[in-house]
Amino acid sequence: MERAATRRHYLMVRPTYFDVVYSINPWMNPEKPTFTGLAVAQWEGLRDLFTGLGHRVDLLDPRPGLPDMVFAANGATVVDGRVLVARFRDSQRTAEAEAYLEWFPAHGYTDVRQARWTNEGEGDYLVAGSRILAGTGFRTTLRAHRESQEYFGVPVVGLTLVDPRFYHLDTALTVLAEDTVMYYPKAFSAESRELLEELYPDAVHATAADAAEFGLNAVSDGRHVVLPQAATGLIGRLREHGFEPIGVDMSELLKAGGSVKCCTLELHGTGLAGRSH
Ligand code: ARG
C-alpha cells in the first residue's frame, strides 16, 4: 500500500535550558548528568528533519527555569485552529502554560483558552481522523477529556494508561494515519485494550523492548514516521505496513522521559489530521 504524506505545521521549543533537576516520571534521575549542548544538537537534527520533509516548523522561545519546556507537545492541543492551552499536573511545569497563552494570540489564533482541569496537551490528546484519542491515568483527567470534547466539538475517546513508564498517551501510542495507529498494549487497561482492538484491528503492536526505547513517541505525516532509532522492531514493522520509518537519536532528551513526539506540537489547522492545509 502506497502511503501519502501531507504537509504538517509544528511548534517546537529549543532546549536552551534543558536539564533534569526534579523527577516527575520514572525516567527522570536528577543525579544523572545532562548535557544541554547535546540536547540542543539532537533537537536541531529533529527540526531540520521536519523542515527537510517539507513541514512548517514555528518556534516558541524557551524560558529560563523551565527545563522541561522543550516538550512542546504538552503545551496545548490545537484542533481546527482552536487552541486549548494545558494545565500541568506538576508545579514545576505550571508556568510553561503562560508562554502558550501569549504565543497563540500573537500568531493569529483567536480562539485560545486555558483548560480548567489537568490537561497536558498533545502529550495526552492525539488527533486521529475525526476523533481525538485521549489518555488518562497519570496526567490528564477524565474531567479534562469532557472539557476538550465540548470545546473542540469532536468525539474524545478516553484510554486509561496503567504503566508509570508510559505516563502520557504519546509514550504508548502513535497515530500513523487517519485510520491507523501503533501502540504498546500492556500500557493500557484491559478495557482500553479491548477498545483499541475494536477501533484499530489492523494496528501495529509494539514489543516491550520497542516501547522501552520510546519507539511510540513518534511523529507521522501519513508516510514518514520519525521515531527513536533504537526501536528497531517497530522500524521493520512500519516498513511492512508501507510507511517510511526514519530513526533519530534523542537519547539526551530521553533522560527527562521525552523523545520525538514530546518535542513536537502539531498545530492542526482547518480540517482534522491528514488533510493538507
Ligand atoms: N519531563 C516531562 C514530564 O514528565 C516529559 C514530558 C514528555 N512529554 C510528552 N509529550 N510525553 O512532564
Side-chain angles (χ1 to χ4, degrees):
M1 181 187 173
E2 201 37 37
R3 304 278 179 181
T6 52
R7 185 171 188 251
R8 307 295 172 120
H9 184 183
Y10 300 130
L11 182 62
M12 298 178 75
V13 181
R14 182 184 294 275
T16 312
Y17 306 105
F18 175 73
D19 205 350
V20 177
V21 292
Y22 51 79
S23 180
I24 55 174
N25 72 54
W27 304 84
M28 301 175 87
N29 176 4
E31 269 150 46
K32 221 176 169 177
T34 52
F35 303 97
T36 306
L38 182 56
V40 171
Q42 292 176 347
W43 176 91
E44 282 177 345
L46 181 64
R47 182 207 50 196
D48 293 348
L49 182 58
F50 287 146
T51 52
L53 289 169
H55 304 308
R56 171 174 166 190
V57 177
D58 284 347
L59 299 177
L60 180 151
D61 288 333
R63 297 186 176 183
L66 296 172
D68 267 336
M69 212 173 156
V70 60
F71 301 118
N74 302 133
T77 306
V78 184
V79 179
D80 257 323
R82 306 194 79 192
V83 183
L84 191 57
V85 171
R87 185 170 295 279
F88 287 90
R89 183 195 66 177
D90 300 289
S91 60
Q92 295 94 330
R93 298 196 68 186
T94 307
E96 293 180 38
E98 285 156 32
Y100 292 84
L101 283 168
E102 287 167 25
W103 191 89
F104 282 102
H107 290 79
Y109 289 81
T110 48
D111 241 329
V112 181
R113 77 162 201 222
Q114 187 175 17
R116 200 166 150 212
W117 310 107
T118 300
N119 169 333
E120 299 206 349
E122 290 180 18
D124 274 322
Y125 290 105
L126 298 174
V127 174
S130 54
R131 61 171 81 100
I132 299 175
L133 302 177
T136 190
F138 297 101
R139 306 283 178 97
T140 302
T141 61
L142 281 174
R143 260 177 156 171
H145 289 183
R146 286 198 291 274
E147 179 186 17
S148 300
Q149 173 157 294
E150 247 173 65
Y151 182 65
F152 293 120
V154 170
V156 169
V157 177
L159 297 167
T160 303
L161 297 162
V162 296
D163 182 333
R165 289 176 306 156
F166 307 112
Y167 55 92
H168 276 142
L169 183 61
D170 73 357
T171 66
L173 183 145
T174 314
V175 175
L176 297 171
E178 279 199 31
D179 55 353
T180 327
V181 301
M182 59 179 181
Y183 63 96
Y184 176 50
K186 285 193 177 146
F188 295 92
S189 69
E191 220 177 294
S192 297
R193 236 185 278 178
E194 253 173 58
L195 183 54
L196 284 168
E197 280 290 343
E198 229 169 85
L199 293 175
Y200 303 105
D202 303 321
V204 175
H205 287 192
T207 60
D210 283 333
E213 297 291 353
F214 246 56
L216 295 158
N217 199 246
V219 170
S220 172
D221 64 11
R223 176 181 179 85
H224 311 100
V225 183
V226 182
L227 77 170
Q229 63 189 16
T232 49
L234 277 179
I235 288 175
R237 299 299 313 283
L238 284 166
R239 279 208 190 96
E240 287 162 22
H241 280 74
F243 292 97
E244 227 180 274
I246 304 173
V248 293
D249 180 10
M250 299 291 281
S251 51
E252 196 55 29
L253 292 154
L254 190 54
K255 291 178 181 169
S259 188
V260 176
K261 170 57 197 164
C262 299
C263 293
T264 314
L265 177 64
E266 183 167 355
L267 308 181
H268 296 278
T270 36
L272 289 169
R275 269 192 247 165
S276 25
H277 46 266

